[in-house]
Amino acid sequence: MLPGGNRRRLTLALAGLVTLAVVAVIGVVVAHTVSDDPRTPTAATGGPSASPSPSASPSPSPPPGADITGPLNLLLVGVDTRVSVPGWEPHADAVLVLHVPAGLSKAYLFSLPRDLVVEIPAYKPAGYPGGRTKLTHAMSYGSRVPDRPKRPDPAQGYELLRRTVSEYTGLRIDAGAVLTFGGFDELVDSLGGVDIRVDQRVVSRHRQPDGKHREPGPGVGGYVGPQMVYEPGERHLNGWQALDYARQRYLPGGDYARQRHHQQLIRALLGKILDQDLARQPERVEQVVAALGDALLYVGGRRIVDFAYALGSLSPQAVTLVGLPGASVGRGNAYRGEELTSVGRRFLTQLRAGKADAFLADNPKLKVKS
């Protein structure tokens, strides 16, 4: 049995991970850099005060995050680090936004294409002058440290990505999180795997049926050897399978299909954590937190525990998955990137105006089945 203090710390850490839904972002970056103290802080006083009379009852302290009423926007990022390549700059491989309207009773989760052509603002810490290019590059350009070549700063890269996403969507980003590949497998396995409805046949470029990595082959990004195949239907996936399934983008639908699979995996993991009632099982919670220890970067003005309490009643069923349609853009035969269609852009406008439900009712194809 864990001591009471440790049990409380682990329970709140899990609650924070659940409510932020960071547990399933497909990607990679840096080591854990935030150490939260989940104890309720004691209110500071401006000077000495009189002792209360014996009959006076102290006022109960409000729970953390009691003042958070929404709306909230959380940026969830997966980053391709390719740590085996010296000096590799992290690229945002998955960019998801969780929007929670005022009242905190529901939420909308949508992805932005990694190749979305956007205006990336100038960023002095990285010496980046700004420019119009793919969204995925905001993370890499922002991570550059001028006097430290080949030693990128992922947290700095996240900041430029946050600014870019905020300017494009018109949403204020309140907090964000990034997960690494190292730890994701362990996280899913510590939960006993996840159940996902595979919605199309997915052939892996990266893994063999036994889970081993396929050998590099001829051509750019080529591989050889047998391939893992995920057939349509209800499937139970372990850690490496869940990550591998959600990473694939060379399939019908391309990166838009992969975005859909990211979202489905997030909700599947969120549901698994809540279904198992892990907050009442401190030993299991310890396993989950240990799995994430070196895999999570949390960035926010408020502590993760504040959001945990504020969003504690948000269920997976209250999270609407939204797929924003897009199309490729370029000059002649040269591919430049992606852009959202007018319907996709209007969703962002209606979301900011608090009219997302009505817009989705008129455009039901935007809602992703899970």
Side-chain angles (χ1 to χ4, degrees):
M1 183 66 69
L2 292 173
N6 288 339
R7 181 183 305 167
R8 178 173 175 79
R9 175 178 60 82
L10 293 171
T11 299
L12 293 180
L14 179 69
L17 295 173
V18 169
T19 53
L20 285 179
V22 299
V23 290
V25 178
I26 305 306
V28 181
V29 268
V30 321
H32 181 55
T33 60
V34 175
S35 176
D36 292 315
D37 180 0
R39 294 171 297 179
T40 302
T42 302
T45 59
S49 59
S51 300
S53 63
S55 60
S57 298
S59 300
S61 300
D67 60 318
I68 298 177
T69 59
L72 294 175
N73 298 292
L74 310 177
L75 177 60
L76 315 177
V77 185
V79 177
D80 177 11
T81 55
R82 302 190 187 183
V83 293
S84 62
V85 179
W88 179 261
E89 295 173 342
H91 287 65
D93 206 40
V95 180
L96 302 97
V97 177
L98 182 70
H99 173 77
V100 188
L104 310 180
S105 62
K106 58 185 177 181
Y108 306 90
L109 180 67
F110 63 91
S111 300
L112 295 176
R114 67 188 300 277
D115 288 347
L116 184 68
V117 178
V118 295
E119 292 289 345
I120 300 179
Y123 189 53
K124 187 175 180 179
Y128 177 65
R132 186 169 180 80
T133 185
K134 296 176 182 178
L135 178 63
T136 184
H137 296 317
M139 187 84 188
S140 57
Y141 293 161
S143 70
R144 296 173 180 173
V145 181
D147 60 350
R148 199 177 67 188
K150 296 187 177 182
R151 293 177 60 193
D153 182 347
Q156 186 176 283
Y158 167 86
E159 173 58 21
L160 181 56
L161 180 66
R162 181 197 67 77
R163 295 184 187 185
T164 304
V165 170
S166 182
E167 289 188 8
Y168 180 81
T169 62
L171 300 172
R172 181 197 68 243
I173 303 300
D174 299 286
V178 189
L179 280 183
T180 70
F181 279 134
F184 184 88
D185 291 10
E186 291 84 354
L187 169 63
V188 176
D189 286 336
S190 73
L191 296 173
V194 292
D195 298 309
I196 290 181
R197 184 180 66 84
V198 176
D199 57 10
Q200 67 184 104
R201 190 172 190 264
V202 175
V203 179
S204 174
R205 286 170 52 89
H206 310 105
R207 298 274 193 160
Q208 300 180 167
D210 61 2
K212 293 181 179 178
H213 290 276
R214 300 179 69 215
E215 294 295 327
V220 179
Y223 298 90
V224 296
Q227 295 174 267
M228 177 64 182
V229 178
Y230 304 91
E231 298 289 354
E234 300 294 334
R235 306 295 176 196
H236 181 80
L237 305 181
N238 62 23
W240 73 261
Q241 291 170 336
L243 177 62
D244 184 53
Y245 166 73
R247 286 185 65 194
Q248 304 308 314
R249 65 187 178 111
Y250 294 98
L251 56 140
D255 193 55
Y256 295 97
R258 182 171 66 165
Q259 293 172 37
R260 183 173 70 250
H261 298 160
H262 289 166
Q263 295 169 320
Q264 291 169 337
L265 183 53
I266 286 179
R267 192 148 73 175
L269 272 171
L270 182 56
K272 188 67 176 286
I273 290 176
L274 294 177
D275 288 345
Q276 291 190 6
D277 198 17
L278 290 185
R280 296 179 183 272
Q281 304 174 52
E283 292 81 8
R284 295 279 287 114
V285 173
E286 188 172 33
Q287 294 174 1
V288 174
V289 174
L292 279 174
D294 291 331
L296 173 69
L297 168 68
Y298 167 74
V299 185
R302 298 289 296 260
R303 298 180 308 158
I304 195 171
V305 68
D306 294 338
F307 290 118
Y309 273 101
L311 304 180
S313 61
L314 194 63
S315 70
Q317 293 72 31
V319 180
T320 300
L321 308 184
V322 180
L324 301 182
S328 61
V329 293
R331 294 178 180 176
N333 295 326
Y335 174 75
R336 185 182 179 192
E338 301 290 318
E339 66 178 3
L340 295 185
T341 65
S342 60
V343 173
R345 295 193 298 272
R346 287 205 307 273
F347 169 77
L348 297 176
T349 301
Q350 296 303 306
L351 186 71
R352 294 194 301 269
K355 300 177 181 179
D357 285 339
F359 187 78
L360 291 174
D362 292 337
N363 299 273
K365 290 184 179 180
L366 295 185
K367 298 178 70 172
V368 176
K369 296 180 180 179
S370 62

